[in-house]
Amino acid sequence: MAVRGAGHFVLWVMDEPAKILTIGGSDSGGAAGIQADLKTFTALGAYGMSVLTAVTAQNSVEVAAVHSLPTAFVTRQLVAVLSDYGAAAIKIGFTGRVDLIEALATALAPYLAAADRPWLVVDPVLVNHRREPLFSPDVARAYVTHLFPLADLITPNWTEAGLLAGRPVTEWSEVCAVAGKLQRQGARRVLVTGWVAGGEIVDLFASGATFQSWRQPLLETANTHGSGDTLSAAIATFLGRGLSLSRAISRARRFTTAAIAGAHDWQLGAGHGPLDHLHVRDDEF
């Protein structure tokens, strides 16, 4: 590392950053999707790259419109990035279409078969912030069939985990049950997020016969839009930077919690607000 003067600024010349790719939708309000991912990558010292699957017209109150990009163009973006830059880790978020999920799996397969394969984190976006399903069941089935066998980790919230497993989740024992079922359906490791119990948020990690729960105090705030994106993007970043999976999850959860806490009292819009990716120091994690 070296220091160079640049007028009123000081540039810290660092080693090359880890290259992290996000595949997902654009949030015009800047809170979630590709925007949340790229902010997370930057906050954690990584070089962010993106493949857009859809463009939205949305703000903190509503999603007014969604324009899905053609599948062939999405895969062209993917090949263009990976054939030149490569990636230490890849995160897949919003897809929304069976044909796109199938095409992404096909396009990613040769890169994931390489000896120096990137980590793959899949955050299956299936519900909105009110936990209402966004798509027909065939989209969930496509995730299970085509992307889960390729992924090193999947990160559904508990509602999405139930949709993927084909059973409702109403109590903690069912969270554990669906995590196990998702593994039997082909997911290597599962992190089910967002269960609320006794004033705490509880996430469940399942890897083979090992089940581990992480707990933290529930922060009462409306500014959580993009929290799932941030968590999965942070996990991918820490994996790409060389951390073990357990450490990556732990540090990503701490980063996401700090970003939620930092925006606790923000009122940037009239509704469901964003996280504070700006003021969380990487050296704290």
Side-chain angles (χ1 to χ4, degrees), residues 63-269:
V63 179
V66 179
H67 175 69
S68 295
L69 297 179
T71 295
F73 184 71
V74 175
T75 56
R76 285 289 297 273
Q77 294 177 73
L78 178 66
V79 172
V81 172
L82 292 181
S83 64
D84 180 33
Y85 289 97
I90 301 169
K91 175 248 169 112
I92 300 179
F94 182 91
T95 58
R97 308 195 315 271
V98 172
D99 68 309
L100 179 55
I101 292 170
E102 294 173 347
L104 286 172
T106 300
L108 284 169
Y111 299 100
L112 297 173
D116 59 345
R117 61 163 280 165
W119 289 90
L120 178 61
V121 176
V122 176
D123 182 28
V125 179
L126 296 173
V127 300
N128 60 23
H129 72 275
R130 292 183 294 273
R131 301 196 177 275
E132 299 165 341
L134 295 170
F135 312 110
S136 59
D138 60 342
V139 173
R141 288 193 294 269
Y143 272 108
V144 171
T145 301
H146 301 286
L147 286 180
F148 286 6
L150 300 176
D152 297 287
L153 176 71
I154 66 170
T155 61
N157 64 44
W158 60 267
T159 309
E160 291 163 335
L163 292 174
L164 291 162
R167 56 178 293 178
V169 175
T170 59
E171 57 187 44
W172 177 250
S173 63
E174 293 168 340
V175 175
C176 299
V178 297
K181 183 173 181 180
L182 290 175
Q183 288 188 95
R184 293 192 296 275
Q185 289 176 320
R188 298 179 193 177
R189 306 173 190 91
V190 181
L191 181 68
V192 181
T193 67
W195 184 259
V196 178
E200 292 182 314
I201 291 283
V202 188
D203 297 339
L204 177 70
F205 176 63
S207 177
T210 300
F211 285 72
Q212 177 182 359
S213 59
W214 273 288
R215 297 175 179 270
Q216 65 195 44
L218 174 65
L219 299 176
E220 294 289 353
T221 175
N223 295 330
T224 58
H225 192 195
S227 56
D229 301 301
T230 297
L231 176 63
S232 55
I235 293 171
T237 302
F238 284 125
L239 289 171
R241 286 175 44 182
L243 275 67
S244 68
L245 184 57
S246 179
R247 288 187 65 206
I249 293 172
S250 178
R251 292 177 71 173
R253 292 181 77 255
R254 288 169 55 200
F255 174 81
T256 305
T257 300
I260 294 172
H264 186 278
D265 297 320
W266 285 6
Q267 191 63 60
L268 300 188

